[in-house]
Amino acid sequence: MSDKLNRTPDNYDFKKIEARWRDFWHENDFFKVENDDTAHKFYYLNMFPYPSGEMHVGHGRNWLIGDAYCRYLIMHGYNVLNPMGYDAFGLPAENAAIDRGIHPKDWTFKNIENFRQQFRQWGVVFDWNRELTTCTPEYYKWNQWLFVQFFKKGLAYRKAAVVNWCSDCDTVLANEQVVDGACERCGSEIDKRDLTQWFFKITEYAQELLDDLDKLEFWPERVKLMQRNWIGRSEGALLKFDIDGADEFLKVFTTRPDTIFGATFMVLAPEHELVDKLTTPAQKAAVQRYKQEAAAKSDIDRQNVSREKTGIFTGGYAINPANGHKIPIWIADYVLMGYGTGAIMAVPAHDQRDFEFARKFELDIIAVISEDGQPLDGALMTEALVSAGMMINSGEFNGLHAGKQTIKKFIDWFEAQNKGESRINFRLRDWLISRQRYWGTPIPMIHCEECGIVPVPEDELPVTLPDVEFLGKKGLAEIPEFYECTCPKCAGSARRDTDTMDTFVDSSWYFLRYISPNLHERIFDSAAVNDWLPVDQYVGGIEHAILHLLYARFITKAIRDLGLIQFDEPFKQLFTQGMITHMAYKSKTDGWISPQDVDRDGKHTKTGEKLHAEIAKMSKSKKNVISPDDIIDEFGTDTERLYTLFMGPPEREIEWNAEGVRGAYRFLRRIWSAVISHREIVITGRSTAIAIETLDKNAKALWNKMHQTIDSVSTDFKRFHFNTAVSALMEFTNTLSDYLAKTSVKDEALLSRAFETLIKLLSPICPFIGEEMWRAIGFDTSVLKSEWPVADPAGLIADEVEIPVQINGKLREALFIAAEAAQNPGALEKGALALEGIQKRIEGKNVLRVIAVPGRLVNLVVK
């Protein structure tokens, strides 16, 4: 027995135990991987973090899940790649630095070091040789290289556009970064501005992004549905409406060209380029006022179906291409330029939004579909008819069933008259990547009056951020020494582009760079990337379903088309973990209050005020953050790890509970005490095989439970059901404790296997105590080097089972019966009625019926 074992204390001194093992796994390269070792490889990856502050126990859930799962895989013999990096550019880090009056580089690297120390404290280990940080020139050089390749292929382009502008952050936001009309970063309301910006042409891949969702068999359906809806494929027709009295026409995309005869007016987005041309002098002032009002509203507000409809008549008319009727042209804020063509044909009889608009402004309503094909007076309708039916008031199409075949006939009719064509439309819009901030990847383009827009030569990359005193919210446009340059084509005076890239560019391909993070001459080693990717298991929050995950899929396909990789999708399996929440308290006068200042009745301990309470995501602003330091200092790292994985299904949101932490600690102390007090038996029993046929009733129950636990915990790990894995370990511990308490002559071989199994199954979740107990029972190598136990199929079949016995649906007793007899309703009924506790409860009552469900339960109906 080693000196280390001899120093093992009988009491559970978690501080000494954790200090002993904290650096053990890293120092012994348990998580270090060589690229050429792909025989039994597994690429596990958590979404890398923003290092913009300190981590709390809510952050820990993500990383503790990953570490436990990787340890489980290592014990199965996998060569597990689990790298780490930092998504270090962007608004979170820059805004935090501004608040503290320091440079974002200093703030970022300070936080990165804090993160490293927190991971070390948690016992979360990575292949640290692959660590990367996106704000270093060594990384963002390749952002710029990708940009240049995309520019050459037409996937990166610049155009004038109406964009989302956050005044507080002083930058443009992509549509995906606007949540409920506000900046997702700072919460400020956004407004619209006309700016020339850089875009990535993600729409070039819209159909493939949609189709390939069907390949993602192991992605949550919820995420795939969110992406399908965001891509938003629609089949229909692009129709031309001539403008009355002008040599212009409006294009309208519609999924229901079969309702064209019922189009009684048109509505344009206030930003539509033809609005000013269409507007008559009499309407000009009113239209301008309305345009200004609409510009102040967010897209979310404008599309809110519950709010009152607003609009203004332009004074202009269009010609309905189906019947030649003049129809008025209105503008309304519920039509957006970003979707379709920014113009709609309004069919109020068959669209509720158009119906409400028509009723408010007294516009014509003409029904072109009725349920039975009989005439329908639009003036008498009380709501739009959106159900299927027969065509009416539609010329040669009258009498046809409204539906796909009729829509096809309408499209053919329009195409024959050169008035429209079949069209597929997508809701997805190109990815706006320009940002007007300092802390990001400089866009590697040069603007020359003679040569136009010219890429920075590849051998001059990276274009580095200027090392200047931080300017706060002002970007690169304020730094002449950065933007003044020479054109690489004509050698004349030129100006660097002063926009930086959206931080989602950084995170859209980082998983490829991990394979060869220190490669200088290429973006990555293509052969090694093709060996290791796609990522076998990717884990992160559901909030990234559209932004990061969609962008990563797009960039992967674009890089594939550069000939660098041979796969279509970046992530095979995706798991989205839920948030950990905590009670937050708010005072009417003092704002958010720390829970430490709240009494049991929810009152402020100093003022007595009854506080507003809500369960919320942990955040410093709401003062409901739980620090890992506090938990670890009082109960130990293993306790935090155990409770975090036990507290509930990891995909669900769940509230942090202090009593649950104490319960986890008590469980670990209980296991520790059992192992230490029986370690000599465990050691001596190791050399003896279990004689199953000689086991008594209690020993056989323990043997069965051991194999059932191996089976259930193994299955739970595969499914990420860590909470039920812990529950199974607790049940196994109970069975082990019962055996120890009830048996005077103990089977040493069985106890040895039981304790070894318990330690192995627990160690991925609680690695510190796992390693210590493993050494305590006589092993000189790490528990991580041991093989994961395998369940004996015979052990999964119990000789005796426990059947709940109910009276009138309420649990009253438990019947222990032979497993075979438990399948016999008569035996179940006889056994239940023979129980002493049941006999006492039914004494003097009539048993009306006995319901015996084989293998499940017995219910006595009594009166």
Side-chain angles (χ1 to χ4, degrees):
M1 197 174 295
S2 67
D3 291 339
K4 188 172 286 188
L5 175 58
N6 290 331
R7 293 197 304 269
T8 299
D10 290 339
N11 64 312
Y12 178 38
D13 189 343
F14 61 80
K15 291 187 178 181
K16 286 185 178 180
I17 292 171
E18 292 171 7
R20 181 150 52 234
W21 298 106
R22 184 152 276 126
D23 298 314
F24 171 76
W25 304 289
H26 173 58
E27 290 174 351
N28 288 275
D29 293 334
F30 280 99
F31 289 77
K32 184 179 179 180
V33 172
E34 300 297 335
N35 281 352
D36 56 0
D37 187 5
T38 59
H40 202 42
K41 67 93 180 172
F42 195 99
Y43 188 177
Y44 177 92
L45 189 62
N46 284 110
M47 296 179 186
F48 66 173
Y50 296 113
S52 57
E54 295 179 356
M55 287 196 278
H56 51 65
V57 295
H59 295 123
R61 191 180 206 186
N62 193 25
W63 307 108
L64 300 181
I65 286 172
D67 189 72
Y69 188 67
C70 288
R71 290 172 184 271
Y72 161 81
L73 291 173
I74 289 171
M75 293 177 73
H76 275 79
Y78 281 98
N79 185 31
V80 181
L81 171 58
N82 181 24
M84 182 58 194
Y86 306 95
D87 193 6
F89 266 147
L91 291 176
E94 187 168 346
N95 287 343
I98 290 169
D99 291 342
R100 291 160 178 80
I102 61 175
H103 197 285
K105 180 179 179 180
D106 298 333
W107 170 249
T108 297
F109 281 97
K110 176 181 178 235
N111 285 323
I112 286 174
E113 184 54 35
N114 290 338
F115 275 38
R116 291 182 185 131
Q117 292 305 313
Q118 185 62 69
F119 289 133
R120 178 177 174 270
Q121 192 177 35
W122 274 330
V124 173
V125 190
F126 304 98
D127 185 346
W128 287 108
N129 297 304
R130 299 172 186 266
E131 186 182 31
L132 58 81
T133 304
T134 61
C135 66
T136 61
E138 292 78 13
Y139 183 87
Y140 69 72
K141 167 185 178 178
W142 300 107
N143 281 346
Q144 295 172 340
W145 182 86
L146 275 177
F147 186 99
V148 171
Q149 309 315 307
F150 289 177
F151 179 77
K152 291 176 180 177
K153 289 196 64 172
L155 289 177
Y157 68 95
R158 197 167 183 255
K159 72 171 184 178
V162 177
V163 298
N164 305 302
W165 180 265
C166 175
S167 297
D168 190 65
C169 293
D170 279 344
T171 192
V172 166
L173 301 176
N175 290 332
E176 297 89 339
Q177 293 167 310
V178 178
V179 179
D180 295 332
C183 171
E184 72 159 357
R185 296 298 188 198
C186 70
S188 300
E189 188 172 340
I190 60 98
D191 55 33
K192 300 291 185 180
R193 291 192 182 182
D194 292 305
L195 295 174
T196 300
Q197 303 286 285
W198 285 101
F199 293 82
F200 279 169
K201 201 171 185 181
I202 190 174
T203 54
E204 188 81 9
Y205 289 83
Q207 188 62 56
E208 187 180 359
L209 287 167
L210 185 64
D211 292 342
D212 283 0
L213 287 171
D214 293 332
K215 296 179 180 179
L216 303 177
E217 180 182 357
F218 303 106
W219 277 41
E221 285 300 322
R222 178 186 176 192
V223 174
K224 293 195 285 186
L225 179 60
M226 291 170 73
Q227 290 206 6
R228 282 193 181 96
N229 291 339
W230 190 262
I231 296 168
R233 186 182 192 272
S234 301
E235 296 182 11
L238 186 68
L239 305 180
K240 290 179 8 181
F241 285 72
D242 290 329
I243 296 173
D244 185 47
D247 189 22
E248 300 272 6
F249 62 86
L250 289 166
K251 289 183 178 181
V252 172
F253 174 79
T254 177
T255 59
R256 295 300 306 272
D258 55 329
T259 63
I260 183 68
F261 283 90
T264 58
F265 60 99
M266 296 192 72
V267 182
L268 308 186
E271 302 87 358
H272 197 287
E273 61 183 0
L274 291 181
V275 168
D276 291 340
K277 292 183 180 180
L278 292 169
T279 303
T280 60
Q283 292 294 105
K284 187 173 183 178
V287 167
Q288 285 301 119
R289 281 196 302 272
Y290 188 84
K291 287 174 66 175
Q292 292 172 359
E293 293 170 0
K297 298 176 182 176
S298 71
D299 289 357
I300 300 295
D301 290 337
R302 289 170 60 169
Q303 290 185 296
N304 186 345
V305 296
S306 63
R307 73 181 184 89
E308 185 179 1
K309 303 297 178 291
T310 64
I312 198 77
F313 178 41
T314 65
Y317 290 85
I319 306 299
N320 186 318
N323 54 25
H325 294 173
K326 286 173 57 175
I327 57 177
I329 302 173
W330 287 64
I331 62 170
D333 57 14
Y334 71 81
V335 179
L336 305 177
M337 269 313 298
Y339 304 106
T341 63
I344 67 166
M345 64 176 209
V347 185
H350 305 292
D351 181 280
Q352 187 60 30
R353 184 178 58 180
D354 295 344
F355 181 87
E356 293 170 3
F357 193 94
R359 278 283 184 257
K360 178 175 181 177
F361 295 107
E362 300 181 350
L363 298 168
D364 291 341
I365 300 175
I366 299 175
V368 292
I369 298 172
S370 70
E371 293 179 340
D372 55 6
Q374 297 300 310
L376 183 63
D377 188 349
L380 301 178
M381 295 176 70
T382 57
E383 62 181 1
L385 175 66
V386 296
S387 58
M390 306 287 289
M391 303 300 304
I392 61 173
N393 297 326
S394 298
E396 63 189 76
F397 300 98
N398 285 341
L400 296 177
H401 287 279
K404 287 186 176 181
Q405 292 184 349
T406 299
I407 288 174
K408 177 66 168 58
K409 291 179 183 293
F410 269 89
I411 293 175
D412 292 342
W413 186 61
F414 284 121
E415 289 180 339
Q417 300 179 73
N418 198 29
K419 293 181 178 179
E421 61 185 12
S422 177
R423 179 63 61 93
I424 294 173
N425 196 50
F426 292 93
R427 181 177 183 267
L428 181 68
R429 289 295 170 261
D430 282 339
W431 177 9
L432 191 162
I433 68 158
S434 287
R435 297 294 180 269
Q436 291 68 43
R437 296 295 288 259
Y438 168 83
W439 194 235
T441 299
I443 290 179
M445 305 301 286
I446 292 173
H447 300 265
C448 175
E449 291 187 4
E450 293 294 326
C451 305
I453 299 178
V454 182
V456 173
E458 293 178 25
D459 61 1
E460 294 181 14
L461 298 177
V463 177
T464 58
L465 284 173
D467 189 11
V468 297
E469 183 178 348
F470 187 47
L471 302 174
K473 295 184 182 180
K474 296 180 182 179
L476 297 176
E478 302 293 326
I479 309 175
E481 57 266 42
F482 171 79
Y483 64 72
E484 291 176 352
C485 67
T486 300
C487 174
K489 271 192 174 183
C490 69
S493 296
R495 180 184 176 97
R496 290 192 188 280
D497 201 294
T498 56
D499 284 352
T500 52
M501 296 186 202
D502 179 9
T503 187
F504 281 105
V505 176
D506 307 343
S507 60
S508 66
W509 67 279
Y510 76 106
F511 42 88
L512 303 171
R513 183 68 180 172
Y514 276 136
I515 305 303
S516 43
N518 301 311
L519 191 63
H520 299 297
E521 62 273 12
R522 286 174 289 156
I523 186 171
F524 49 72
D525 182 336
S526 291
V529 166
N530 285 322
D531 283 342
W532 278 91
L533 277 90
V535 172
D536 293 289
Q537 179 68 66
Y538 199 40
V539 176
I542 188 69
E543 67 271 17
H544 298 293
I546 293 172
L547 290 166
H548 163 59
L549 289 171
L550 186 62
Y551 293 156
R553 295 182 61 223
F554 157 59
I555 292 296
T556 296
K557 295 175 188 300
I559 290 177
R560 175 204 61 196
D561 290 346
L562 293 176
L564 298 177
I565 56 177
Q566 298 170 354
F567 48 89
D568 302 325
E569 290 289 337
F571 315 117
K572 284 183 186 176
Q573 300 182 85
L574 174 69
F575 181 83
T576 54
Q577 91 282 352
M579 291 187 297
I580 293 179
T581 60
H582 193 225
M583 189 65 73
Y585 298 91
K586 192 174 186 179
S587 163
K588 292 180 181 178
T589 56
D590 299 330
W592 295 103
I593 302 297
S594 170
Q596 296 177 344
D597 296 326
V598 182
D599 65 18
R600 292 182 178 180
D601 299 320
K603 295 180 180 180
H604 198 306
T605 55
K606 297 177 181 177
T607 66
E609 177 192 354
K610 182 68 175 178
L611 302 171
H612 165 75
E614 65 179 58
I615 297 174
K617 175 183 176 181
M618 289 188 186
S619 68
K620 287 184 179 179
S621 62
K622 292 189 175 181
K623 297 185 178 181
N624 67 336
V625 166
I626 304 293
S627 169
D629 294 342
D630 297 337
I631 303 299
I632 292 171
D633 183 64
E634 185 173 359
F635 300 106
T637 298
D638 280 327
T639 294
E640 182 187 346
R641 290 179 63 117
L642 181 70
Y643 173 65
T644 299
L645 296 186
F646 178 57
M647 63 193 303
E651 70 275 12
R652 297 183 187 173
E653 183 178 291
I654 195 158
E655 184 182 1
W656 184 268
N657 183 281
E659 184 53 42
V661 176
R662 287 188 281 271
Y665 176 65
R666 289 192 295 269
F667 174 66
L668 291 180
R669 278 199 316 180
R670 180 185 176 196
I671 291 179
W672 173 263
S673 177
V675 170
I676 298 304
S677 59
H678 294 90
R679 58 182 169 177
E680 297 301 334
I681 294 177
V682 174
I683 293 170
T684 57
R686 185 169 301 129
S687 59
T688 308
I690 300 174
I692 301 172
E693 65 280 359
T694 66
L695 296 178
D696 62 22
K697 179 180 177 180
N698 290 332
K700 188 64 183 301
L702 176 59
W703 184 78
N704 283 128
K705 191 65 174 178
M706 177 176 69
H707 288 286
Q708 291 166 1
T709 303
I710 293 170
D711 182 66
S712 62
V713 170
S714 299
T715 300
D716 287 339
F717 262 89
K718 291 176 186 176
R719 298 176 179 175
F720 275 55
H721 294 174
F722 301 103
N723 59 314
T724 52
V726 174
S727 179
L729 290 173
M730 291 177 172
E731 290 180 13
F732 180 37
T733 303
N734 290 338
T735 303
L736 180 56
S737 297
D738 288 344
Y739 175 77
L740 293 171
K742 295 176 181 178
T743 308
S744 56
V745 180
K746 299 172 175 57
D747 190 306
E748 293 185 357
L750 175 62
L751 273 181
S752 180
R753 303 305 184 278
F755 275 110
E756 287 179 15
T757 297
L758 178 60
I759 294 169
K760 285 183 178 183
L761 298 181
L762 179 66
S763 65
I765 298 170
C766 302
F768 298 97
I769 195 174
E771 290 287 359
E772 188 77 10
M773 292 190 300
W774 192 246
R775 299 304 174 100
I777 61 173
F779 291 98
D780 292 327
T781 58
S782 171
V783 68
L784 262 181
K785 286 190 175 181
S786 67
E787 292 185 3
W788 189 261
V790 178
D792 184 336
L796 304 180
I797 303 172
D799 294 337
E800 188 176 75
V801 294
E802 181 180 353
I803 301 294
V805 180
Q806 301 174 344
I807 297 178
N808 293 335
K810 294 183 178 181
L811 179 65
R812 297 305 185 190
E813 294 287 339
L815 170 65
F816 291 90
I817 189 170
E820 185 176 348
Q823 301 303 316
N824 185 321
L828 287 175
E829 178 178 343
K830 183 177 179 180
L833 292 172
L835 291 171
E836 182 179 353
I838 293 296
Q839 290 179 353
K840 290 180 179 179
R841 290 178 181 275
I842 64 175
E843 186 177 357
K845 299 179 182 179
N846 292 325
V847 179
L848 303 179
R849 186 181 177 193
V850 178
I851 303 170
V853 182
R856 298 288 300 278
L857 62 84
V858 179
N859 183 37
L860 280 64
V861 181
V862 303
K863 187 177 181 181

